Amino acid sequence: GAADAAPALSAATGAITDAEIHTMLGLREAARKSKNWAQADLYREQLRSRGVDIFDRDREWKTSDGRRGVIMTEGAVQCSMNEEEIKSLVAQREQARSAKDFATADALRDQLRKGGVEIYDKDKYWKANTGVRGTIGMPRPGMGMGGGEMMGMPGAPAGGAAQLTETDINQLVAQREQARQA
């Protein structure tokens, strides 16, 4: 049965690839959506056995070697949009929300999700599963004024004046670890 798949997957050699992670997360999200909790738990355990931890509350995953990414609610998809396309759709969605046109805003959110971008309205930012992220409306502290850039890249405030979130700090640490292992 389904339980027989776990040993075969965990016996695979080498580090798990991002593509494998996205595929497994997509299968897990499909199982969760259909309320097949046993299958979803099996996928979680398979990922854990390969060094991938899942943080459902934050909709993120993290590997033992420091990689991390977004758990997409629409399943596995690699972000196909460039940063300008994302910013444009996010701005259109904000305009629709301001005009109380929630049908359009919801449709734009769904389009972004299907394109590999999650929206975090409460925290006023968006994040693509490629790691690119940006602000919604006013920039978040530590995000720079560009509205969409990798943490630690040019455009970030200098001199430590920014208020970094725990997520920002964790991403910077993961980037440092990746650079050390390179």
Side-chain angles (χ1 to χ4, degrees), residues 6 17 38 47 79 86 89 91 102 109 115 118 134 138 152 157 162 167 180:
T17 66
L47 285 162
C79 185
I86 296 169
L89 289 172
F102 297 113
R109 181 201 57 222
E118 280 290 339
M138 293 300 294
T167 300
R180 288 173 126 182

Side-chain angles (χ1 to χ4, degrees), residues 54-61 68-71 118 120 123 125 127 166-167 170:
I54 298 172
F55 303 95
D56 286 316
R57 197 180 97 230
D58 298 325
R59 293 193 303 218
E60 290 187 336
W61 56 266
R68 62 175 54 224
V70 178
I71 299 172
E118 280 290 339
Y120 299 88
D123 296 320
Y125 73 100
K127 183 164 42 174
E166 184 177 351
T167 300
N170 288 339

Side-chain angles (χ1 to χ4, degrees), residues 79-124:
C79 185
S80 57
M81 295 180 276
N82 66 40
E83 191 174 318
E84 293 309 313
E85 291 170 313
I86 296 169
K87 285 181 186 179
S88 174
L89 289 172
V90 168
Q92 290 173 44
R93 181 172 178 268
E94 283 304 293
Q95 288 173 345
R97 289 178 72 202
S98 294
K100 301 206 183 309
D101 179 0
F102 297 113
T104 299
D106 289 349
L108 288 164
R109 181 201 57 222
D110 292 344
Q111 182 180 349
L112 284 158
R113 275 189 180 153
K114 286 181 178 140
V117 179
E118 280 290 339
I119 301 288
Y120 299 88
D121 287 316
K122 181 179 169 193
D123 296 320
K124 293 286 190 197

Side-chain angles (χ1 to χ4, degrees), residues 23 25 28 53 78 81 85 109 153-154 158 164-165 169 182:
T23 298
L25 287 171
R28 180 173 179 266
D53 288 317
Q78 188 65 23
M81 295 180 276
E85 291 170 313
R109 181 201 57 222
M153 298 299 282
L164 295 175
T165 66
I169 292 167

Side-chain angles (χ1 to χ4, degrees), residues 21 46 51 63 71-72 78 86 94 102 105 135 143 149 173:
I21 293 169
Q46 288 174 349
T63 63
I71 299 172
M72 301 305 299
Q78 188 65 23
I86 296 169
E94 283 304 293
F102 297 113
T135 57
M143 291 301 296
E149 55 198 39
V173 169

